[in-house]
mmCIF file of all heavy atoms in Angstrom:
data_model
loop_
_atom_site.group_PDB
_atom_site.id
_atom_site.type_symbol
_atom_site.label_atom_id
_atom_site.label_comp_id
_atom_site.label_asym_id
_atom_site.label_seq_id
_atom_site.Cartn_x
_atom_site.Cartn_y
_atom_site.Cartn_z
ATOM 1 N N ARG A 30 9.663 -12.922 6.413
ATOM 2 C CA ARG A 30 8.930 -12.264 5.336
ATOM 3 C C ARG A 30 9.449 -12.676 3.970
ATOM 4 O O ARG A 30 8.705 -12.781 3.007
ATOM 5 C CB ARG A 30 9.007 -10.746 5.482
ATOM 6 C CG ARG A 30 8.225 -10.244 6.661
ATOM 7 C CD ARG A 30 7.417 -8.995 6.307
ATOM 8 N NE ARG A 30 8.123 -8.092 5.423
ATOM 9 C CZ ARG A 30 8.470 -6.854 5.737
ATOM 10 N NH1 ARG A 30 8.190 -6.383 6.932
ATOM 11 N NH2 ARG A 30 9.058 -6.092 4.859
ATOM 12 N N GLY A 59 11.679 -12.899 -5.581
ATOM 13 C CA GLY A 59 11.698 -13.291 -4.180
ATOM 14 C C GLY A 59 12.376 -14.626 -3.942
ATOM 15 O O GLY A 59 12.524 -15.051 -2.808
ATOM 16 N N GLY A 61 15.781 -16.544 -4.225
ATOM 17 C CA GLY A 61 17.220 -16.422 -4.433
ATOM 18 C C GLY A 61 17.872 -17.787 -4.339
ATOM 19 O O GLY A 61 17.197 -18.821 -4.436
ATOM 20 N N THR A 99 -6.252 -12.971 16.549
ATOM 21 C CA THR A 99 -5.552 -12.274 17.647
ATOM 22 C C THR A 99 -4.394 -13.097 18.224
ATOM 23 O O THR A 99 -3.664 -12.616 19.073
ATOM 24 C CB THR A 99 -6.465 -11.836 18.818
ATOM 25 O OG1 THR A 99 -6.829 -12.986 19.586
ATOM 26 C CG2 THR A 99 -7.696 -11.103 18.306
ATOM 27 N N GLY A 101 -0.925 -14.580 17.357
ATOM 28 C CA GLY A 101 0.158 -14.617 16.373
ATOM 29 C C GLY A 101 1.276 -15.508 16.876
ATOM 30 O O GLY A 101 1.099 -16.242 17.853
ATOM 31 N N GLY A 134 0.126 -11.012 28.801
ATOM 32 C CA GLY A 134 -0.596 -10.810 27.548
ATOM 33 C C GLY A 134 -1.883 -11.603 27.437
ATOM 34 O O GLY A 134 -2.535 -11.570 26.402
ATOM 35 N N GLY A 136 -4.866 -11.531 29.570
ATOM 36 C CA GLY A 136 -5.853 -11.080 30.538
ATOM 37 C C GLY A 136 -7.217 -11.671 30.248
ATOM 38 O O GLY A 136 -7.379 -12.406 29.263
ATOM 39 N N LYS A 138 -9.992 -10.445 29.088
ATOM 40 C CA LYS A 138 -10.608 -10.084 27.812
ATOM 41 C C LYS A 138 -9.996 -10.893 26.656
ATOM 42 O O LYS A 138 -10.702 -11.357 25.751
ATOM 43 C CB LYS A 138 -10.384 -8.573 27.588
ATOM 44 C CG LYS A 138 -11.116 -8.003 26.415
ATOM 45 C CD LYS A 138 -12.603 -7.852 26.691
ATOM 46 C CE LYS A 138 -13.246 -7.576 25.347
ATOM 47 N NZ LYS A 138 -14.609 -7.410 25.254
ATOM 48 N N THR A 139 -8.698 -11.051 26.705
ATOM 49 C CA THR A 139 -8.016 -11.830 25.664
ATOM 50 C C THR A 139 -8.500 -13.271 25.666
ATOM 51 O O THR A 139 -8.767 -13.858 24.617
ATOM 52 C CB THR A 139 -6.491 -11.778 25.887
ATOM 53 O OG1 THR A 139 -6.082 -10.420 25.782
ATOM 54 C CG2 THR A 139 -5.751 -12.600 24.861
ATOM 55 N N MET A 225 -14.868 -4.543 16.200
ATOM 56 C CA MET A 225 -13.900 -3.489 16.535
ATOM 57 C C MET A 225 -14.500 -2.176 16.058
ATOM 58 O O MET A 225 -15.048 -2.103 14.966
ATOM 59 C CB MET A 225 -12.604 -3.810 15.790
ATOM 60 C CG MET A 225 -11.518 -2.793 15.920
ATOM 61 S SD MET A 225 -9.967 -3.527 15.375
ATOM 62 C CE MET A 225 -10.152 -3.483 13.641
ATOM 63 N N LYS A 230 -11.540 3.151 11.707
ATOM 64 C CA LYS A 230 -11.723 1.782 11.222
ATOM 65 C C LYS A 230 -12.713 1.037 12.109
ATOM 66 O O LYS A 230 -12.620 1.114 13.340
ATOM 67 C CB LYS A 230 -10.361 1.066 11.244
ATOM 68 C CG LYS A 230 -10.427 -0.375 10.834
ATOM 69 C CD LYS A 230 -9.053 -0.996 10.813
ATOM 70 C CE LYS A 230 -9.191 -2.473 10.511
ATOM 71 N NZ LYS A 230 -7.929 -3.156 10.373
ATOM 72 N N TYR A 257 -4.591 2.017 -1.601
ATOM 73 C CA TYR A 257 -4.044 1.224 -0.506
ATOM 74 C C TYR A 257 -4.942 0.049 -0.152
ATOM 75 O O TYR A 257 -4.484 -1.085 0.007
ATOM 76 C CB TYR A 257 -3.814 2.114 0.726
ATOM 77 C CG TYR A 257 -3.302 1.310 1.875
ATOM 78 C CD1 TYR A 257 -2.009 0.797 1.827
ATOM 79 C CD2 TYR A 257 -4.108 1.010 2.961
ATOM 80 C CE1 TYR A 257 -1.529 0.013 2.849
ATOM 81 C CE2 TYR A 257 -3.637 0.222 3.991
ATOM 82 C CZ TYR A 257 -2.348 -0.279 3.935
ATOM 83 O OH TYR A 257 -1.881 -1.066 4.930
ATOM 84 N N ARG A 269 5.112 0.929 -2.677
ATOM 85 C CA ARG A 269 5.775 1.704 -1.622
ATOM 86 C C ARG A 269 7.286 1.699 -1.784
ATOM 87 O O ARG A 269 7.960 2.666 -1.456
ATOM 88 C CB ARG A 269 5.371 1.170 -0.245
ATOM 89 C CG ARG A 269 3.940 1.524 0.048
ATOM 90 C CD ARG A 269 3.498 1.172 1.423
ATOM 91 N NE ARG A 269 2.124 1.622 1.560
ATOM 92 C CZ ARG A 269 1.515 1.836 2.714
ATOM 93 N NH1 ARG A 269 2.146 1.616 3.835
ATOM 94 N NH2 ARG A 269 0.283 2.259 2.750
ATOM 95 N N LYS A 278 6.912 8.927 0.374
ATOM 96 C CA LYS A 278 6.357 7.983 1.347
ATOM 97 C C LYS A 278 4.886 7.809 1.018
ATOM 98 O O LYS A 278 4.144 8.787 0.920
ATOM 99 C CB LYS A 278 6.520 8.540 2.761
ATOM 100 C CG LYS A 278 6.094 7.596 3.845
ATOM 101 C CD LYS A 278 6.415 8.172 5.211
ATOM 102 C CE LYS A 278 5.423 9.260 5.621
ATOM 103 N NZ LYS A 278 4.237 8.732 6.298
ATOM 104 N N TYR A 282 -3.119 7.790 3.309
ATOM 105 C CA TYR A 282 -3.500 9.208 3.334
ATOM 106 C C TYR A 282 -2.946 9.985 2.139
ATOM 107 O O TYR A 282 -3.385 11.093 1.869
ATOM 108 C CB TYR A 282 -3.056 9.854 4.645
ATOM 109 C CG TYR A 282 -3.796 9.262 5.818
ATOM 110 C CD1 TYR A 282 -3.195 8.336 6.663
ATOM 111 C CD2 TYR A 282 -5.129 9.595 6.054
ATOM 112 C CE1 TYR A 282 -3.889 7.765 7.709
ATOM 113 C CE2 TYR A 282 -5.836 9.035 7.104
ATOM 114 C CZ TYR A 282 -5.211 8.117 7.927
ATOM 115 O OH TYR A 282 -5.927 7.550 8.963
ATOM 116 P P DG B 1 18.919 -18.248 5.237
ATOM 117 O OP1 DG B 1 18.454 -19.547 5.092
ATOM 118 O OP2 DG B 1 19.908 -17.569 5.888
ATOM 119 O "O5'" DG B 1 17.971 -17.191 4.484
ATOM 120 C "C5'" DG B 1 16.699 -17.606 4.096
ATOM 121 C "C4'" DG B 1 16.212 -16.731 2.971
ATOM 122 O "O4'" DG B 1 15.922 -15.410 3.513
ATOM 123 C "C3'" DG B 1 17.203 -16.507 1.840
ATOM 124 O "O3'" DG B 1 16.444 -16.466 0.638
ATOM 125 C "C2'" DG B 1 17.844 -15.175 2.152
ATOM 126 C "C1'" DG B 1 16.721 -14.426 2.869
ATOM 127 N N9 DG B 1 17.153 -13.510 3.931
ATOM 128 C C8 DG B 1 17.979 -13.775 4.987
ATOM 129 N N7 DG B 1 18.156 -12.745 5.763
ATOM 130 C C5 DG B 1 17.405 -11.730 5.174
ATOM 131 C C6 DG B 1 17.206 -10.373 5.553
ATOM 132 O O6 DG B 1 17.678 -9.776 6.524
ATOM 133 N N1 DG B 1 16.354 -9.703 4.680
ATOM 134 C C2 DG B 1 15.778 -10.258 3.589
ATOM 135 N N2 DG B 1 14.985 -9.474 2.855
ATOM 136 N N3 DG B 1 15.939 -11.519 3.215
ATOM 137 C C4 DG B 1 16.775 -12.192 4.048
ATOM 138 P P DC B 2 17.127 -16.170 -0.785
ATOM 139 O OP1 DC B 2 16.447 -17.025 -1.766
ATOM 140 O OP2 DC B 2 18.594 -16.196 -0.656
ATOM 141 O "O5'" DC B 2 16.661 -14.665 -1.026
ATOM 142 C "C5'" DC B 2 15.276 -14.372 -1.004
ATOM 143 C "C4'" DC B 2 15.034 -12.948 -1.480
ATOM 144 O "O4'" DC B 2 15.452 -12.025 -0.454
ATOM 145 C "C3'" DC B 2 15.807 -12.576 -2.745
ATOM 146 O "O3'" DC B 2 14.933 -11.877 -3.612
ATOM 147 C "C2'" DC B 2 16.953 -11.721 -2.240
ATOM 148 C "C1'" DC B 2 16.367 -11.082 -0.970
ATOM 149 N N1 DC B 2 17.359 -10.830 0.106
ATOM 150 C C2 DC B 2 17.454 -9.559 0.673
ATOM 151 O O2 DC B 2 16.712 -8.656 0.274
ATOM 152 N N3 DC B 2 18.347 -9.354 1.680
ATOM 153 C C4 DC B 2 19.108 -10.351 2.094
ATOM 154 N N4 DC B 2 19.974 -10.109 3.089
ATOM 155 C C5 DC B 2 19.035 -11.655 1.524
ATOM 156 C C6 DC B 2 18.156 -11.849 0.543
ATOM 157 P P DC B 3 15.411 -11.623 -5.110
ATOM 158 O OP1 DC B 3 14.216 -11.755 -5.948
ATOM 159 O OP2 DC B 3 16.632 -12.406 -5.387
ATOM 160 O "O5'" DC B 3 15.845 -10.091 -5.073
ATOM 161 C "C5'" DC B 3 15.026 -9.123 -4.451
ATOM 162 C "C4'" DC B 3 15.785 -7.819 -4.385
ATOM 163 O "O4'" DC B 3 16.643 -7.832 -3.221
ATOM 164 C "C3'" DC B 3 16.699 -7.596 -5.599
ATOM 165 O "O3'" DC B 3 16.342 -6.369 -6.215
ATOM 166 C "C2'" DC B 3 18.113 -7.565 -5.032
ATOM 167 C "C1'" DC B 3 17.888 -7.274 -3.556
ATOM 168 N N1 DC B 3 18.867 -7.897 -2.630
ATOM 169 C C2 DC B 3 19.321 -7.148 -1.534
ATOM 170 O O2 DC B 3 18.895 -5.998 -1.369
ATOM 171 N N3 DC B 3 20.206 -7.712 -0.675
ATOM 172 C C4 DC B 3 20.639 -8.961 -0.884
ATOM 173 N N4 DC B 3 21.496 -9.472 -0.013
ATOM 174 C C5 DC B 3 20.187 -9.729 -2.007
ATOM 175 C C6 DC B 3 19.311 -9.170 -2.846
ATOM 176 P P DC B 12 14.251 0.329 5.922
ATOM 177 O OP1 DC B 12 13.520 1.534 5.515
ATOM 178 O OP2 DC B 12 14.429 -0.026 7.335
ATOM 179 O "O5'" DC B 12 13.619 -0.932 5.169
ATOM 180 C "C5'" DC B 12 13.410 -0.864 3.763
ATOM 181 C "C4'" DC B 12 12.977 -2.216 3.292
ATOM 182 O "O4'" DC B 12 14.011 -3.178 3.558
ATOM 183 C "C3'" DC B 12 11.721 -2.723 4.020
ATOM 184 O "O3'" DC B 12 10.810 -3.238 3.080
ATOM 185 C "C2'" DC B 12 12.252 -3.821 4.932
ATOM 186 C "C1'" DC B 12 13.436 -4.341 4.125
ATOM 187 N N1 DC B 12 14.443 -5.025 4.970
ATOM 188 C C2 DC B 12 14.867 -6.299 4.610
ATOM 189 O O2 DC B 12 14.406 -6.804 3.587
ATOM 190 N N3 DC B 12 15.766 -6.941 5.397
ATOM 191 C C4 DC B 12 16.244 -6.341 6.491
ATOM 192 N N4 DC B 12 17.123 -7.013 7.220
ATOM 193 C C5 DC B 12 15.830 -5.043 6.864
ATOM 194 C C6 DC B 12 14.930 -4.420 6.092
ATOM 195 P P DC B 13 9.264 -3.319 3.439
ATOM 196 O OP1 DC B 13 9.019 -3.886 4.767
ATOM 197 O OP2 DC B 13 8.680 -3.925 2.232
ATOM 198 O "O5'" DC B 13 8.844 -1.800 3.493
ATOM 199 C "C5'" DC B 13 8.509 -1.129 2.289
ATOM 200 C "C4'" DC B 13 7.379 -0.189 2.553
ATOM 201 O "O4'" DC B 13 6.147 -0.939 2.668
ATOM 202 C "C3'" DC B 13 7.535 0.568 3.861
ATOM 203 O "O3'" DC B 13 7.072 1.890 3.642
ATOM 204 C "C2'" DC B 13 6.636 -0.172 4.838
ATOM 205 C "C1'" DC B 13 5.529 -0.687 3.924
ATOM 206 N N1 DC B 13 4.890 -1.954 4.345
ATOM 207 C C2 DC B 13 3.510 -2.093 4.210
ATOM 208 O O2 DC B 13 2.878 -1.129 3.774
ATOM 209 N N3 DC B 13 2.925 -3.245 4.577
ATOM 210 C C4 DC B 13 3.653 -4.240 5.048
ATOM 211 N N4 DC B 13 3.029 -5.357 5.389
ATOM 212 C C5 DC B 13 5.057 -4.125 5.204
ATOM 213 C C6 DC B 13 5.635 -2.979 4.846
ATOM 214 P P DC B 14 7.298 3.001 4.747
ATOM 215 O OP1 DC B 14 7.475 4.261 4.026
ATOM 216 O OP2 DC B 14 8.297 2.515 5.725
ATOM 217 O "O5'" DC B 14 5.887 3.030 5.478
ATOM 218 C "C5'" DC B 14 4.723 3.331 4.710
ATOM 219 C "C4'" DC B 14 3.533 3.167 5.594
ATOM 220 O "O4'" DC B 14 3.297 1.767 5.835
ATOM 221 C "C3'" DC B 14 3.669 3.832 6.973
ATOM 222 O "O3'" DC B 14 2.634 4.769 7.097
ATOM 223 C "C2'" DC B 14 3.541 2.672 7.964
ATOM 224 C "C1'" DC B 14 2.800 1.624 7.141
ATOM 225 N N1 DC B 14 3.008 0.215 7.530
ATOM 226 C C2 DC B 14 1.894 -0.637 7.601
ATOM 227 O O2 DC B 14 0.774 -0.183 7.344
ATOM 228 N N3 DC B 14 2.080 -1.932 7.952
ATOM 229 C C4 DC B 14 3.308 -2.387 8.214
ATOM 230 N N4 DC B 14 3.434 -3.658 8.542
ATOM 231 C C5 DC B 14 4.444 -1.527 8.152
ATOM 232 C C6 DC B 14 4.256 -0.246 7.805
ATOM 233 P P DG B 15 2.621 5.805 8.272
ATOM 234 O OP1 DG B 15 2.517 7.136 7.656
ATOM 235 O OP2 DG B 15 3.698 5.473 9.230
ATOM 236 O "O5'" DG B 15 1.229 5.489 8.972
ATOM 237 C "C5'" DG B 15 0.076 5.458 8.171
ATOM 238 C "C4'" DG B 15 -0.959 4.593 8.829
ATOM 239 O "O4'" DG B 15 -0.480 3.231 8.909
ATOM 240 C "C3'" DG B 15 -1.313 5.014 10.254
ATOM 241 O "O3'" DG B 15 -2.713 5.133 10.314
ATOM 242 C "C2'" DG B 15 -0.801 3.861 11.116
ATOM 243 C "C1'" DG B 15 -0.889 2.683 10.147
ATOM 244 N N9 DG B 15 -0.021 1.562 10.470
ATOM 245 C C8 DG B 15 1.320 1.598 10.715
ATOM 246 N N7 DG B 15 1.820 0.417 10.975
ATOM 247 C C5 DG B 15 0.739 -0.443 10.894
ATOM 248 C C6 DG B 15 0.650 -1.848 11.069
ATOM 249 O O6 DG B 15 1.551 -2.636 11.355
ATOM 250 N N1 DG B 15 -0.635 -2.322 10.892
ATOM 251 C C2 DG B 15 -1.719 -1.534 10.574
ATOM 252 N N2 DG B 15 -2.887 -2.147 10.438
ATOM 253 N N3 DG B 15 -1.650 -0.221 10.405
ATOM 254 C C4 DG B 15 -0.407 0.254 10.574
ATOM 255 P P DA B 16 -3.433 5.708 11.620
ATOM 256 O OP1 DA B 16 -4.319 6.770 11.156
ATOM 257 O OP2 DA B 16 -2.455 5.937 12.697
ATOM 258 O "O5'" DA B 16 -4.315 4.458 12.022
ATOM 259 C "C5'" DA B 16 -5.214 3.914 11.063
ATOM 260 C "C4'" DA B 16 -6.000 2.821 11.728
ATOM 261 O "O4'" DA B 16 -5.142 1.655 11.857
ATOM 262 C "C3'" DA B 16 -6.462 3.188 13.142
ATOM 263 O "O3'" DA B 16 -7.816 2.818 13.304
ATOM 264 C "C2'" DA B 16 -5.523 2.417 14.055
ATOM 265 C "C1'" DA B 16 -5.071 1.232 13.209
ATOM 266 N N9 DA B 16 -3.689 0.844 13.465
ATOM 267 C C8 DA B 16 -2.589 1.648 13.495
ATOM 268 N N7 DA B 16 -1.472 1.013 13.754
ATOM 269 C C5 DA B 16 -1.855 -0.309 13.899
ATOM 270 C C6 DA B 16 -1.132 -1.485 14.179
ATOM 271 N N6 DA B 16 0.179 -1.511 14.375
ATOM 272 N N1 DA B 16 -1.817 -2.642 14.255
ATOM 273 C C2 DA B 16 -3.152 -2.607 14.064
ATOM 274 N N3 DA B 16 -3.943 -1.558 13.787
ATOM 275 C C4 DA B 16 -3.223 -0.428 13.718
ATOM 276 P P DC B 17 -8.573 3.211 14.622
ATOM 277 O OP1 DC B 17 -9.981 3.436 14.256
ATOM 278 O OP2 DC B 17 -7.791 4.234 15.353
ATOM 279 O "O5'" DC B 17 -8.479 1.858 15.446
ATOM 280 C "C5'" DC B 17 -8.998 0.671 14.867
ATOM 281 C "C4'" DC B 17 -8.752 -0.485 15.802
ATOM 282 O "O4'" DC B 17 -7.351 -0.796 15.823
ATOM 283 C "C3'" DC B 17 -9.154 -0.170 17.256
ATOM 284 O "O3'" DC B 17 -10.052 -1.177 17.679
ATOM 285 C "C2'" DC B 17 -7.829 -0.187 18.026
ATOM 286 C "C1'" DC B 17 -6.931 -1.049 17.142
ATOM 287 N N1 DC B 17 -5.472 -0.717 17.212
ATOM 288 C C2 DC B 17 -4.538 -1.748 17.409
ATOM 289 O O2 DC B 17 -4.953 -2.903 17.544
ATOM 290 N N3 DC B 17 -3.217 -1.443 17.447
ATOM 291 C C4 DC B 17 -2.825 -0.179 17.292
ATOM 292 N N4 DC B 17 -1.522 0.063 17.333
ATOM 293 C C5 DC B 17 -3.752 0.873 17.083
ATOM 294 C C6 DC B 17 -5.058 0.567 17.055
ATOM 295 P P DT B 18 -10.763 -1.077 19.091
ATOM 296 O OP1 DT B 18 -12.151 -1.534 18.908
ATOM 297 O OP2 DT B 18 -10.470 0.229 19.718
ATOM 298 O "O5'" DT B 18 -9.963 -2.187 19.904
ATOM 299 C "C5'" DT B 18 -9.811 -3.470 19.321
ATOM 300 C "C4'" DT B 18 -8.967 -4.321 20.236
ATOM 301 O "O4'" DT B 18 -7.582 -3.921 20.101
ATOM 302 C "C3'" DT B 18 -9.333 -4.158 21.718
ATOM 303 O "O3'" DT B 18 -9.648 -5.442 22.240
ATOM 304 C "C2'" DT B 18 -8.081 -3.547 22.358
ATOM 305 C "C1'" DT B 18 -6.971 -3.860 21.371
ATOM 306 N N1 DT B 18 -5.908 -2.846 21.230
ATOM 307 C C2 DT B 18 -4.574 -3.251 21.281
ATOM 308 O O2 DT B 18 -4.246 -4.401 21.471
ATOM 309 N N3 DT B 18 -3.657 -2.242 21.109
ATOM 310 C C4 DT B 18 -3.921 -0.899 20.898
ATOM 311 O O4 DT B 18 -3.018 -0.101 20.759
ATOM 312 C C5 DT B 18 -5.315 -0.547 20.866
ATOM 313 C C7 DT B 18 -5.710 0.880 20.652
ATOM 314 C C6 DT B 18 -6.239 -1.522 21.030
ATOM 315 P P DG B 19 -10.303 -5.597 23.663
ATOM 316 O OP1 DG B 19 -11.187 -6.779 23.629
ATOM 317 O OP2 DG B 19 -10.809 -4.283 24.103
ATOM 318 O "O5'" DG B 19 -9.040 -5.949 24.557
ATOM 319 C "C5'" DG B 19 -8.217 -7.029 24.137
ATOM 320 C "C4'" DG B 19 -6.966 -7.051 24.989
ATOM 321 O "O4'" DG B 19 -6.110 -5.938 24.606
ATOM 322 C "C3'" DG B 19 -7.225 -6.902 26.480
ATOM 323 O "O3'" DG B 19 -6.405 -7.850 27.153
ATOM 324 C "C2'" DG B 19 -6.813 -5.468 26.794
ATOM 325 C "C1'" DG B 19 -5.720 -5.214 25.758
ATOM 326 N N9 DG B 19 -5.548 -3.823 25.337
ATOM 327 C C8 DG B 19 -6.519 -2.871 25.139
ATOM 328 N N7 DG B 19 -6.043 -1.721 24.729
ATOM 329 C C5 DG B 19 -4.666 -1.933 24.658
ATOM 330 C C6 DG B 19 -3.625 -1.052 24.277
ATOM 331 O O6 DG B 19 -3.704 0.134 23.911
ATOM 332 N N1 DG B 19 -2.380 -1.667 24.342
ATOM 333 C C2 DG B 19 -2.164 -2.960 24.727
ATOM 334 N N2 DG B 19 -0.898 -3.396 24.726
ATOM 335 N N3 DG B 19 -3.136 -3.803 25.084
ATOM 336 C C4 DG B 19 -4.352 -3.219 25.024
ATOM 337 P P DT B 20 -6.515 -8.096 28.662
ATOM 338 O OP1 DT B 20 -6.478 -9.554 28.867
ATOM 339 O OP2 DT B 20 -7.645 -7.312 29.183
ATOM 340 O "O5'" DT B 20 -5.161 -7.479 29.168
ATOM 341 C "C5'" DT B 20 -3.972 -7.784 28.458
ATOM 342 C "C4'" DT B 20 -2.900 -6.809 28.854
ATOM 343 O "O4'" DT B 20 -3.168 -5.530 28.257
ATOM 344 C "C3'" DT B 20 -2.804 -6.547 30.372
ATOM 345 O "O3'" DT B 20 -1.448 -6.591 30.735
ATOM 346 C "C2'" DT B 20 -3.379 -5.154 30.531
ATOM 347 C "C1'" DT B 20 -2.939 -4.521 29.222
ATOM 348 N N1 DT B 20 -3.677 -3.316 28.803
ATOM 349 C C2 DT B 20 -2.946 -2.247 28.305
ATOM 350 O O2 DT B 20 -1.741 -2.260 28.203
ATOM 351 N N3 DT B 20 -3.687 -1.167 27.927
ATOM 352 C C4 DT B 20 -5.074 -1.042 28.007
ATOM 353 O O4 DT B 20 -5.648 -0.020 27.643
ATOM 354 C C5 DT B 20 -5.764 -2.191 28.526
ATOM 355 C C7 DT B 20 -7.253 -2.154 28.640
ATOM 356 C C6 DT B 20 -5.043 -3.264 28.893
ATOM 357 P P DT B 21 -1.136 -7.149 32.224
ATOM 358 O OP1 DT B 21 -0.389 -8.399 32.220
ATOM 359 O OP2 DT B 21 -2.370 -7.045 33.004
ATOM 360 O "O5'" DT B 21 -0.168 -5.946 32.626
ATOM 361 C "C5'" DT B 21 1.048 -6.278 33.301
ATOM 362 C "C4'" DT B 21 2.189 -5.461 32.712
ATOM 363 O "O4'" DT B 21 2.669 -6.109 31.503
ATOM 364 C "C3'" DT B 21 1.799 -4.060 32.245
ATOM 365 O "O3'" DT B 21 1.907 -3.141 33.268
ATOM 366 C "C2'" DT B 21 2.808 -3.796 31.159
ATOM 367 C "C1'" DT B 21 3.056 -5.147 30.544
ATOM 368 N N1 DT B 21 2.317 -5.425 29.277
ATOM 369 C C2 DT B 21 2.467 -4.603 28.196
ATOM 370 O O2 DT B 21 3.170 -3.606 28.188
ATOM 371 N N3 DT B 21 1.744 -4.962 27.100
ATOM 372 C C4 DT B 21 0.911 -6.058 26.959
ATOM 373 O O4 DT B 21 0.319 -6.281 25.920
ATOM 374 C C5 DT B 21 0.804 -6.894 28.136
ATOM 375 C C7 DT B 21 -0.087 -8.090 28.101
ATOM 376 C C6 DT B 21 1.511 -6.554 29.226
ATOM 377 P P DT B 27 1.324 -12.035 18.321
ATOM 378 O OP1 DT B 27 0.837 -13.319 18.820
ATOM 379 O OP2 DT B 27 2.592 -11.927 17.564
ATOM 380 O "O5'" DT B 27 0.174 -11.374 17.438
ATOM 381 C "C5'" DT B 27 -1.091 -11.132 18.023
ATOM 382 C "C4'" DT B 27 -1.968 -10.408 17.032
ATOM 383 O "O4'" DT B 27 -1.539 -9.030 16.925
ATOM 384 C "C3'" DT B 27 -1.941 -10.984 15.607
ATOM 385 O "O3'" DT B 27 -3.240 -11.428 15.288
ATOM 386 C "C2'" DT B 27 -1.461 -9.818 14.735
ATOM 387 C "C1'" DT B 27 -1.774 -8.602 15.603
ATOM 388 N N1 DT B 27 -0.910 -7.412 15.350
ATOM 389 C C2 DT B 27 -1.504 -6.195 15.098
ATOM 390 O O2 DT B 27 -2.706 -6.045 15.064
ATOM 391 N N3 DT B 27 -0.629 -5.166 14.888
ATOM 392 C C4 DT B 27 0.748 -5.222 14.900
ATOM 393 O O4 DT B 27 1.417 -4.223 14.697
ATOM 394 C C5 DT B 27 1.308 -6.527 15.175
ATOM 395 C C7 DT B 27 2.789 -6.705 15.207
ATOM 396 C C6 DT B 27 0.462 -7.553 15.383
ATOM 397 P P DC B 28 -3.550 -12.172 13.913
ATOM 398 O OP1 DC B 28 -4.701 -13.054 14.161
ATOM 399 O OP2 DC B 28 -2.308 -12.686 13.342
ATOM 400 O "O5'" DC B 28 -4.040 -10.962 12.999
ATOM 401 C "C5'" DC B 28 -5.114 -10.140 13.442
ATOM 402 C "C4'" DC B 28 -5.302 -9.010 12.467
ATOM 403 O "O4'" DC B 28 -4.242 -8.039 12.646
ATOM 404 C "C3'" DC B 28 -5.216 -9.459 10.996
ATOM 405 O "O3'" DC B 28 -6.494 -9.306 10.410
ATOM 406 C "C2'" DC B 28 -4.184 -8.529 10.354
ATOM 407 C "C1'" DC B 28 -3.962 -7.443 11.400
ATOM 408 N N1 DC B 28 -2.578 -6.935 11.471
ATOM 409 C C2 DC B 28 -2.347 -5.557 11.319
ATOM 410 O O2 DC B 28 -3.317 -4.810 11.131
ATOM 411 N N3 DC B 28 -1.081 -5.083 11.393
ATOM 412 C C4 DC B 28 -0.079 -5.926 11.596
ATOM 413 N N4 DC B 28 1.153 -5.417 11.662
ATOM 414 C C5 DC B 28 -0.286 -7.331 11.747
ATOM 415 C C6 DC B 28 -1.546 -7.797 11.670
ATOM 416 P P DG B 29 -6.811 -9.955 8.965
ATOM 417 O OP1 DG B 29 -8.233 -10.313 8.957
ATOM 418 O OP2 DG B 29 -5.784 -10.969 8.647
ATOM 419 O "O5'" DG B 29 -6.586 -8.735 7.973
ATOM 420 C "C5'" DG B 29 -7.302 -7.531 8.188
ATOM 421 C "C4'" DG B 29 -6.722 -6.478 7.294
ATOM 422 O "O4'" DG B 29 -5.432 -6.062 7.796
ATOM 423 C "C3'" DG B 29 -6.482 -6.954 5.860
ATOM 424 O "O3'" DG B 29 -6.930 -5.966 4.949
ATOM 425 C "C2'" DG B 29 -4.980 -7.096 5.764
ATOM 426 C "C1'" DG B 29 -4.518 -6.014 6.716
ATOM 427 N N9 DG B 29 -3.163 -6.197 7.212
ATOM 428 C C8 DG B 29 -2.526 -7.358 7.552
ATOM 429 N N7 DG B 29 -1.294 -7.185 7.948
ATOM 430 C C5 DG B 29 -1.103 -5.814 7.866
ATOM 431 C C6 DG B 29 0.029 -5.015 8.162
ATOM 432 O O6 DG B 29 1.134 -5.368 8.561
ATOM 433 N N1 DG B 29 -0.215 -3.667 7.935
ATOM 434 C C2 DG B 29 -1.393 -3.155 7.481
ATOM 435 N N2 DG B 29 -1.442 -1.832 7.326
ATOM 436 N N3 DG B 29 -2.463 -3.880 7.208
ATOM 437 C C4 DG B 29 -2.245 -5.200 7.418
#
Side-chain angles (χ1 to χ4, degrees):
Chain A
R30 290 224 322 243
T99 74
K138 188 74 193 179
T139 298
M225 176 165 77
K230 177 177 175 176
Y257 178 70
R269 289 186 178 200
K278 185 174 76 87
Y282 294 103

